[in-house]
Amino acid sequence: MLRSVILAASRSSRVERLVATAPFSRDVVRRFVAGAKTDDALRVTRELVDDGLAVTLDHLGEDTVTPEQARATRDEYLALLRMLAEARLTPAAEVSVKLSALGQAFDEQLAYDNARAICAAADAAGTTVTLDMEDHTTTDSTLDILAKLRKDFPSTGAVLQAYLRRTESDCRELASAGSRVRLCKGAYKEPESVAHQSARDVDKSYVRCLNILMSGDGYPMLATHDPRLIAIGEDRARWFDRSPDRFEFQMLYGIRPEEQARLVGEGYTVRTYVPYGDDWYGYLMRRLAERPANLAFFARAVASRK
Ligand SMILES: Cc1cc2nc3c(=O)[nH]c(=O)nc-3n(C[C@H](O)[C@H](O)[C@H](O)COP(=O)(O)OP(=O)(O)OC[C@H]3O[C@@H](n4cnc5c(N)ncnc54)[C@H](O)[C@@H]3O)c2cc1C
């Protein structure tokens, strides 16, 4: 219930104005977001890489409505990739891209062209791109664009969401040699017709999908903070004899950092998803919806500013 309310608020421009302009928001945002500028992203990436983590960087912004905005997002990624290569942070750091930020909602061809330019720049920088997955109305279009991009850039990563009923079948499709697939639970509010609704059903689906990916020929990227699912991932790595260079764990910046360090200490590859940029509202609201306990953190920040 609370999750639905927060996700509804994430679509309200009125609530967005309230939260975005509130002075306390900065402290809350800082926990989950590297900062507003490309330099902030580079600084945090350097710190994480020095701690033995791999990184995927997300320039915040989604639901772009004009071609100019979409091209500006593309250009930000091109500049970021150049700077990462110059700082010798590739291949440890790659980028995560939302097609909606590249124009997918109004011009699929433009989104593809922009994504292609980013893949080419990543390739030149010696690293990779992963296409984030958004709400279910975009899944087919995103997987179509992924298939086209993979013709020239086969290492382009996919994201599949365990809460969608279709995902087991998508995992079978994508568990082929060289195919990088991030498996997450899914962060959007989806109807029962397309998505499992209870946490238990989502977790069971995650395990079925994880089994398909870990027993397949691709490169699974297990994106979760859930202790039980991480333990199952470790178990399947042993069972399917997957060495740490043949799969990875992924977690979000600011969430369970001690667990990220523990897994690195165990010799696993762990990639931290690092968002940066001004447009943090939708991202922050999804993080609050995932764990309403984070609202207490938010409330403390408000109280401490009174
Ligand atoms: C690297 C990465 C990339 C992702 N990419 C996508 C994507 O492209 N598309 C998409 O729909 N979703 C994406 N997600 C989000 C994902 O779908 C989930 O919404 C999110 O990871 C929470 O699910 P969980 O597996 O951690 O399990 P949960 O059951 O939500 O959490 C398990 C435990 O993890 C901790 N935890 C989880 N979330 C938080 C939080 N916000 N704050 C503090 N502690 C927390 C808590 O201890 C909690 O008990 C991504 C997640 C990660 C880690």
Side-chain angles (χ1 to χ4, degrees), residues 102-117:
L102 299 179
Q104 184 181 33
F106 56 90
D107 186 346
E108 268 192 37
Q109 180 63 39
L110 177 71
Y112 165 73
D113 291 341
N114 286 335
R116 199 176 187 293

Side-chain angles (χ1 to χ4, degrees), residues 18-290:
L18 265 174
V19 174
T21 53
F24 54 82
S25 292
R26 222 157 44 111
D27 295 344
V28 182
V29 173
R30 205 178 288 144
R31 177 177 162 194
F32 297 109
V33 176
K37 304 273 176 266
T38 320
D39 280 347
D40 298 318
L42 289 173
R43 177 181 40 79
V44 167
T45 300
R46 167 68 63 207
E47 287 165 12
L48 294 169
V49 169
D50 285 350
D51 286 342
L53 292 147
V55 169
T56 186
L57 281 154
D58 165 39
H59 179 248
L60 290 168
E62 46 202 90
D63 300 332
T64 292
V65 291
T66 68
E68 292 70 32
Q69 286 174 331
R71 289 196 189 96
T73 302
R74 176 201 63 191
D75 291 346
E76 170 59 32
Y77 274 103
L78 300 186
L80 172 67
L81 284 159
R82 253 194 327 272
M83 289 162 84
L84 286 171
E86 278 163 20
R88 297 182 192 280
L89 286 168
T90 54
E94 65 139 34
V95 295
S96 283
V97 173
K98 282 189 175 47
L99 289 176
S100 70
L102 299 179
Q104 184 181 33
F106 56 90
D107 186 346
E108 268 192 37
Q109 180 63 39
L110 177 71
Y112 165 73
D113 291 341
N114 286 335
R116 199 176 187 293
I118 296 170
C119 288
D123 195 46
T127 192
T128 49
V129 176
T130 297
L131 298 185
D132 281 348
M133 190 60 86
E134 300 177 71
D135 74 75
H136 80 277
T137 61
T138 65
T139 310
D140 281 327
S141 156
T142 300
L143 292 179
D144 286 350
I145 291 177
L146 173 85
K148 275 166 69 185
L149 291 169
R150 279 186 170 182
K151 288 192 179 128
D152 290 325
F153 306 103
S155 61
T156 307
V159 178
L160 296 177
Q161 298 152 315
Y163 64 13
L164 292 186
R165 297 180 194 279
R166 60 179 285 168
T167 294
E168 266 181 84
S169 148
D170 288 332
C171 283
R172 277 191 206 94
E173 280 290 305
L174 289 179
S176 55
S179 169
R180 297 169 65 248
V181 180
R182 176 194 299 160
L183 179 64
C184 63
K185 289 190 185 180
Y188 297 81
K189 178 159 172 49
E190 299 288 16
E192 187 166 5
S193 52
V194 299
H196 301 291
Q197 301 293 308
S198 74
R200 193 179 137 82
D201 286 342
V202 175
D203 289 358
K204 278 167 38 186
S205 169
Y206 194 105
V207 176
R208 291 193 297 273
C209 293
L210 180 155
N211 286 337
I212 295 168
L213 295 176
M214 292 293 272
S215 62
D217 293 325
Y219 181 85
M221 305 188 278
L222 306 179
T224 181
H225 315 92
D226 189 326
R228 283 201 309 168
L229 296 179
I230 292 169
I232 292 171
E234 292 183 90
D235 176 71
R236 298 307 189 268
R238 285 188 290 274
W239 185 258
F240 295 114
D241 206 16
R242 274 192 179 264
S243 49
D245 57 329
R246 293 183 51 234
F247 81 105
E248 66 189 44
F249 289 107
Q250 295 191 343
M251 294 190 211
L252 303 176
Y253 178 65
I255 300 183
R256 302 202 70 202
E258 62 303 321
E259 175 66 357
Q260 300 185 26
R262 181 192 73 81
L263 288 166
V264 169
E266 298 281 329
Y268 292 110
T269 305
V270 182
R271 191 176 299 277
T272 307
Y273 183 106
V274 178
Y276 75 99
D278 287 324
D279 197 0
W280 45 261
Y281 179 72
Y283 180 85
L284 178 73
M285 294 307 264
R286 284 197 295 281
R287 301 297 74 85
L288 291 179
E290 269 152 24

